Amino acid sequence: MRRFVIFLLTAALLLTCGCAGPAGDGEDWEDDLIVVGVSQVGAESDWRVANSESIKAVFTEENGYRLLFEDAKQQQENQISAIRKFIQQKVDYIILMPISETGWDSVLQEARDAGIPVILVDRMIETEDDSLYTAHIGSDFREEAEMAVSWMEETYGTEPVNIIHLQGTLGSTAQIGRTAGLEDAVARHSNWTILTQLDGDFTQAKAYEVMCQYLAQERGVDIQVVYCENDNEAYGAIEALEEYGYTCGPEGVSVISFDATRTCLTLCLEQKIALAVECNPLLGELAEETIQTLEAGDTPEKHTYVEESCFTWQELTQEQIEARPY
């Protein structure tokens, strides 16, 4: 660790137990390792798992890091607790994947007061003081939505389009950007109608549940598009649609998904998913580049967005799917 820290136990404790305390209260860090504390949202989706694996693959002891990884299990209070724990442990850097955009000012002020740079990965935060975080690395979620909207415009033209909208975790940057893109497009197109907006929480189980509830209430409703804000929601939506007699494909319902993981692309090649919009989870190397920039005494870019594209079954190949790392 760059700032070598050893918390000595009291003489009485040494006499009674003769052992070191927990991390941050006596852990003897290696002085040649950069200590990075990571607060991850959870493991709610295939994308999130790939994102965590990307971080863990980069921040290894072999690469010169000690990684402290905390899974928040989809709870913001767990993330706030993790950040405070990292501050107590005197880590060198904090990487935060914020579950929602609001509610971070106090704890990030604590990190700044402690002199610990905070790097946001994936999602953003809403704050009037952007000096509370050093850099943000992730996707342009509004641009992702525009890709989906453009495909819908090209596919349906002036035809009526009835849309079921499965939203992600409410208040998250991905949900806000992908929702705003669709809602603005619906406002521009008099032939587009959002039948319902359902909270899928970025999970397959929740998407399946709320879709089944809606389809049971609205038997036989005419649906052209199901706009799912991530892959796992799309899987749940397809399962529910097929149970209620709908066909997912060119002759039936067009399912739009965001993330474009390997499983999603396989379903796209099978024509069950009409459009897969890419959201790249492999952000570990970019996070490390930011840390190395700071280590060199330089200033990193405030915002770094990864390049992304989209896929349809007409253009997709099995070779592309097999080559996909996630």
Side-chain angles (χ1 to χ4, degrees):
M1 178 177 176
R2 299 287 176 188
R3 301 185 300 278
F4 183 55
V5 178
I6 302 177
F7 288 90
L8 296 178
L9 296 173
T10 64
L13 180 59
L14 286 171
L15 289 171
T16 55
C17 62
C19 60
D25 295 317
E27 181 86 21
D28 187 356
W29 302 122
E30 295 292 337
D31 63 352
D32 59 345
L33 296 178
I34 300 170
V35 181
V36 180
V38 175
S39 175
Q40 178 60 282
V41 170
E44 79 283 359
S45 65
D46 297 342
W47 188 99
R48 187 65 55 192
V49 171
N51 181 238
S52 294
E53 290 175 351
S54 172
I55 294 291
K56 292 175 181 178
V58 168
F59 293 104
T60 64
E61 291 191 14
E62 291 77 11
N63 289 341
Y65 301 94
R66 182 177 299 280
L67 177 64
L68 309 180
F69 190 95
E70 294 284 341
D71 182 334
K73 303 186 186 305
Q74 295 291 103
Q75 300 295 322
Q76 185 175 22
E77 56 266 32
N78 292 342
Q79 292 200 289
I80 292 172
S81 295
I83 293 170
R84 290 192 169 126
K85 180 180 177 183
F86 295 149
I87 294 169
Q88 292 172 354
Q89 292 171 315
K90 300 187 185 297
V91 302
D92 293 307
Y93 300 94
I94 293 172
I95 292 176
L96 169 64
M97 294 79 160
I99 188 169
S100 64
E101 291 203 341
T102 58
W104 300 104
D105 283 28
S106 294
V107 72
L108 295 191
Q109 179 68 53
E110 293 171 30
R112 185 171 66 181
D113 291 345
I116 303 172
V118 174
I119 300 163
L120 304 179
V121 169
D122 176 27
R123 303 171 181 176
M124 263 294 294
I125 64 170
E126 180 182 315
T127 180
E128 294 182 0
D129 183 3
D130 66 2
S131 68
L132 291 175
Y133 65 93
T134 300
H136 164 245
I137 299 158
S139 299
D140 187 335
F141 299 112
R142 181 58 185 264
E143 178 59 28
E144 291 175 356
E146 293 302 328
M147 293 185 203
V149 166
S150 295
W151 180 86
M152 291 170 64
E153 290 171 338
E154 294 172 6
T155 301
Y156 291 100
T158 59
E159 297 175 23
V161 183
N162 290 333
I163 305 161
I164 292 179
H165 180 193
L166 275 168
Q167 296 177 291
T169 302
L170 299 178
S172 67
T173 309
Q175 179 270 314
I176 291 169
R178 291 167 185 167
T179 291
L182 177 62
E183 289 179 341
D184 287 353
V186 169
R188 297 195 307 267
H189 295 81
S190 59
N191 57 316
W192 291 15
T193 302
I194 296 179
L195 297 173
T196 186
Q197 289 179 309
L198 306 172
D199 178 11
D201 201 26
F202 287 136
T203 71
Q204 181 171 345
K206 184 67 177 294
Y208 171 77
E209 175 189 348
V210 296
M211 277 291 292
C212 284
Q213 289 173 352
Y214 177 77
L215 295 174
Q217 293 170 359
E218 304 292 336
R219 292 275 181 177
V221 63
D222 187 28
I223 307 166
Q224 279 69 52
V225 172
V226 179
Y227 182 99
C228 306
E229 290 190 348
N230 81 337
D231 287 351
N232 290 80
E233 288 184 346
Y235 309 153
I238 291 169
E239 185 180 1
L241 286 164
E242 291 181 341
E243 282 189 15
Y244 279 83
Y246 292 87
T247 299
C248 298
E251 303 304 317
V253 178
S254 294
V255 175
I256 294 174
S257 183
F258 294 85
D259 286 352
T261 56
R262 191 183 297 115
T263 300
C264 170
L265 294 184
T266 298
L267 289 172
C268 185
L269 189 60
E270 294 172 358
Q271 303 183 28
K272 289 193 174 186
I273 289 179
L275 179 72
V277 181
E278 184 176 35
C279 182
N280 190 340
L282 307 182
L283 304 176
E285 290 185 2
L286 290 174
E288 186 192 23
E289 287 178 17
T290 298
I291 287 176
Q292 288 302 319
T293 298
L294 292 166
E295 286 288 302
D298 297 326
T299 302
E301 293 289 333
K302 191 69 173 180
H303 296 279
T304 300
Y305 294 108
V306 290
E307 292 187 7
E308 295 167 335
S309 59
C310 56
F311 304 88
T312 63
W313 64 267
Q314 294 97 328
E315 302 159 341
L316 196 58
T317 66
Q318 186 62 42
E319 290 71 24
Q320 285 177 295
I321 297 172
E322 292 174 357
R324 201 138 183 93
Y326 56 90

